Amino acid sequence: MLTFHNICWALSSFHLTGIRGLESQHLWLSIPFGSMYLVAVVGNVTILAVVREEHSLHQPMYFFLCMLAVIDLVLSTSTMPKLLGIFWFDAGDIGLDACLAQMFLIHCFATVESGIFLAMAFDRYVAICDPLHHTTVLTHAVVGRLGLSALLRGVLYIGPLSLMIHLQLPIYKSRIISHSYCEHMAVVTLACGDSRVNNVYGLSIGFLVLILDSAAIAASYVMIFRAVMGLATPEARLKTLGTCGSHICAVLIFCVPIAVSSLIHWFGHRVSPPIHTLLANFYLLIPPILNPIVYAVRTKQIRERLLQILKREMRNR
């Protein structure tokens, strides 16, 4: 470690504190966090397996759901194993490159997830407003391109964040990150250099993705509701809106924790640091846990396929 004016250092690693202020409770906290991570992994792997095996589910909506499951697995796996290592073994040390890689994965795939929700809104719009052309508009190739576009957008938006930290902020006033993972602001606040460009870019990208994607999703649902209101009977309206229910729930599950965490981060100065860190972790765990449950409960084909698998397993025993 190279000392710079006895104040700042060129670091090769950081130390993550976990849930600072609750160190004495880390072992107990590992139980709910480990359980939630296990549920998230099992739920999303199950969704992938069911869609893969059931050919009737080889449709755009379920392909997007599979993309969502992969993203949720990446988001939860990029943070939870390290967090559990801190809880169990106090293994908080993380290399600089590993820290930047973790930061990239978290922010990149959160951006990708927002893009997939936007693609799913487009799928619902075409399915309801132009059902006769749904299969010709959303072919397998188009679905793949939409998923790839969401991934490329995440890489292009978030890639510069890690690069700017690596190139422009080489020295730090401390190696202690008061967080359980390498969150962008938690790392930048330790930098000795001028981090204004990094801060402005990070905030701009966050607001750009959240506001533009939310506005586009809202606009698609305005047009969907207009089309639904034109249907002849209330039963037809409810049935048609029911196909959008899972997507609306998933969007809310994704957006509400982000909005709450952001509001507390910027305006909740009286909220204790452990609450900030706990909320940041829940924001990465709640969607991976609830998305498979929402789609399994609300989607008849997935529910029936799961029941068939369970019955077959019971028979084999």
Side-chain angles (χ1 to χ4, degrees):
M1 189 167 67
L2 177 66
T3 304
F4 184 80
H5 295 304
N6 297 318
I7 297 174
C8 297
W9 297 269
L11 301 175
S12 60
S13 66
F14 292 104
H15 183 82
L16 297 166
T17 61
I19 314 296
R20 192 160 195 175
L22 296 177
E23 288 88 352
S24 62
Q25 305 299 319
H26 274 182
L27 191 59
W28 293 107
L29 286 170
S30 69
I31 298 173
F33 275 101
S35 301
M36 288 189 289
Y37 176 55
L38 181 63
V39 170
V41 171
V42 171
N44 285 287
V45 169
T46 300
I47 290 290
L48 291 170
V50 169
V51 174
R52 182 177 180 271
E53 293 297 322
E54 184 58 54
H55 292 287
S56 66
L57 299 179
H58 292 183
Q59 301 172 28
M61 183 173 77
Y62 303 109
F63 289 142
F64 287 130
L65 178 58
C66 287
M67 295 178 195
L68 210 58
V70 172
I71 293 166
D72 286 340
L73 285 170
V74 172
L75 283 174
S76 56
T77 302
S78 64
T79 55
M80 286 305 112
K82 185 63 180 177
L83 179 62
L84 293 174
I86 295 171
F87 285 165
W88 291 333
F89 311 112
D90 195 26
D93 286 347
I94 184 170
L96 175 61
D97 291 339
C99 183
L100 294 179
Q102 186 186 54
M103 181 197 305
F104 172 78
L105 287 173
I106 293 166
H107 295 293
C108 175
F109 278 88
T111 304
V112 176
E113 185 156 6
S114 181
I116 295 300
F117 282 130
L118 182 56
M120 294 172 84
F122 175 66
D123 168 62
R124 291 299 84 205
Y125 164 75
V126 177
I128 293 171
C129 297
D130 193 10
L132 296 178
H133 294 95
H134 183 246
T135 54
T136 56
V137 172
L138 279 157
T139 61
H140 290 183
V142 170
V143 170
R145 289 191 195 105
L146 288 172
L148 183 60
S149 298
L151 177 60
L152 289 176
R153 187 185 70 154
V155 172
L156 291 174
Y157 280 7
I158 305 302
L161 277 179
S162 300
L163 284 175
M164 282 190 286
I165 291 176
H166 185 71
L167 297 175
Q168 296 180 353
L169 304 174
I171 53 176
Y172 300 87
K173 50 191 153 187
S174 173
R175 69 185 296 267
I176 305 299
I177 299 177
S178 300
H179 211 293
S180 59
Y181 59 83
C182 291
E183 196 269 336
H184 175 247
M185 291 303 298
V187 175
V188 168
T189 52
L190 299 180
C192 287
D194 187 354
S195 61
R196 285 176 296 179
V197 174
N198 210 290
N199 290 334
V200 170
Y201 182 82
L203 288 173
S204 299
I205 289 298
F207 281 115
L208 181 70
V209 170
L210 191 60
I211 291 172
L212 289 184
D213 287 4
S214 298
I217 291 171
S220 71
Y221 273 102
V222 168
M223 291 183 281
I224 287 171
F225 288 140
R226 283 180 180 174
V228 169
M229 290 304 106
L231 296 175
T233 64
E235 292 78 10
R237 293 171 191 166
L238 286 173
K239 184 178 179 180
T240 305
L241 284 176
T243 64
C244 302
S246 299
H247 179 248
I248 293 172
C249 289
V251 170
L252 291 175
I253 289 167
F254 177 74
C255 291
V256 170
I258 292 178
V260 171
S261 181
S262 299
L263 287 172
I264 289 178
H265 181 80
W266 292 109
F267 302 109
H269 301 297
R270 295 182 182 178
V271 178
S272 62
I275 300 299
H276 280 281
T277 309
L278 285 170
L279 285 173
N281 281 284
F282 285 140
Y283 135 68
L284 293 176
L285 266 178
I286 290 174
I289 291 171
L290 293 184
N291 284 340
I293 295 173
V294 166
Y295 276 93
V297 169
R298 295 191 56 88
T299 305
K300 182 181 177 182
Q301 294 96 319
I302 292 178
R303 191 167 61 247
E304 289 178 347
R305 182 61 178 171
L306 279 174
L307 288 173
Q308 288 175 9
I309 293 172
L310 290 173
K311 286 178 182 177
R312 188 173 62 201
E313 289 296 323
M314 293 295 291
R315 241 184 266 118
N316 290 338
R317 289 181 183 179

